[in-house]
Amino acid sequence: MSLVSVSTAAYDGYGFDAIFTSLAHCGVTNVEVAFIEGYVEAFTDDDLSRAYARELGAEMQRLGQQCHYFSGHIDLGLADAPQRLEARCRFAAELGAGNVITNAASMASSRQFLAHAGELAAIARHHGVRILLENPGNRQANLLDRAAHIPPLLQQLDSDAFGINFDVGNLLSHCPELDPLKDGLAALPRADHFHIKPCKTVTDGYDFVALGGGDIDDGSLIRQLTRQGVPFSLELPFRLHRDLTAQPWRDGQPLALEDIEEKLKQSLAWMDEVISQPGD
């Protein structure tokens, strides 16, 4: 489906040459490239060079793939956010991606974010990309915690530069009092893009699983996204977990590549099945 991308976060621990080849083997042509601190192998902003972006773009092109969404989450309220966003927008533009997904700001840094929102918007426009703000999952109060926060936040921002990437999977750990499907559907009219991130509550926190194995009714949401033509990415961070306080941690070793491919193929097949079903 042209509306659906798959995030490289599923392959945490592997190089991009192996990742792109595996995704192609699984039939994936739309790739969401992910550089998310704490969620994937360590990197620095210096790694986000034009030359590296061109290298990755050439490899995707060779495999018949493209990247429309780049995940590079930071807190946009931090003092160095403009410089760090610049690196991400430049990298995304070089990849051919028109959208940079990041968090907005914690409530603690929200004033700083709003104060330099104009500068951030100018950076995005300069590079020809949009900034898609995502609700977090770490249970720390944010400007964007749930669907109800979207309208008042967007009213304060340049709509040409800023939009919303809504992650329903994050609601399970971030706002456990909410019905994730209900809140996701409430966000749908105002969101530009969604992350589908199936997760499951376990004894010591939260695990991320293949589609169909989580606690959220992802099938109903996927059907609505498809019918309304809203694009989404499957973000399947199989190596990642959250503890009981919703803080992320990763397995010491990457999953075997064949295990990742099996879970991804299972997820894609499950998605195709639910889309073909009537209902909702």
Side-chain angles (χ1 to χ4, degrees), residues 134-137 145-147 150 164-176 178-188 191 193-200 206 208 215-222 225 232-233 235 242:
E134 179 180 318
N135 53 303
D145 287 325
R146 61 187 71 192
I150 296 175
I164 298 295
N165 176 75
F166 203 75
D167 191 318
V168 178
N170 281 342
L171 292 172
L172 197 65
S173 58
H174 195 71
C175 301
L178 292 181
D179 178 331
L181 175 61
K182 183 177 180 181
D183 207 61
L185 293 175
L188 202 154
H193 187 260
F194 270 70
H195 272 167
I196 302 298
K197 186 163 63 187
C199 51
K200 189 174 185 64
Y206 306 87
F208 296 97
D215 292 343
I216 300 171
D217 184 0
D218 291 311
S220 292
L221 180 60
I222 286 172
L225 291 170
F232 60 94
S233 293
E235 190 183 41
R242 289 189 184 277

Side-chain angles (χ1 to χ4, degrees), residues 214-259:
D215 292 343
I216 300 171
D217 184 0
D218 291 311
S220 292
L221 180 60
I222 286 172
R223 281 193 288 270
Q224 288 300 322
L225 291 170
T226 304
R227 289 168 187 167
Q228 298 190 35
V230 178
F232 60 94
S233 293
L234 302 184
E235 190 183 41
L236 306 167
F238 299 125
R239 188 180 178 184
L240 185 71
H241 311 269
R242 289 189 184 277
D243 64 21
L244 290 171
T245 65
Q247 300 311 298
W249 63 275
R250 296 156 60 236
D251 291 326
Q253 296 296 322
L255 276 70
L257 195 61
E258 55 267 29
D259 291 342

Side-chain angles (χ1 to χ4, degrees), residues 7-9 12 14-16 19-20 32-49 52-53 56 60 67 69-74 84 87-88 91-92 95 100-102 235:
S7 171
T8 60
D12 177 26
Y14 290 90
F16 278 101
I19 293 173
F20 295 149
E32 180 180 305
V33 174
F35 280 83
I36 309 172
E37 291 180 339
Y39 289 58
V40 299
E41 284 292 296
F43 65 94
T44 70
D45 286 7
D46 290 339
D47 295 320
L48 302 176
S49 67
Y52 190 35
L56 298 186
M60 283 189 286
C67 173
Y69 298 89
F70 171 77
S71 284
H73 299 56
I74 55 174
R84 301 196 70 199
R88 284 153 177 77
F91 192 82
L95 280 175
V100 173
I101 298 171
T102 179
E235 190 183 41

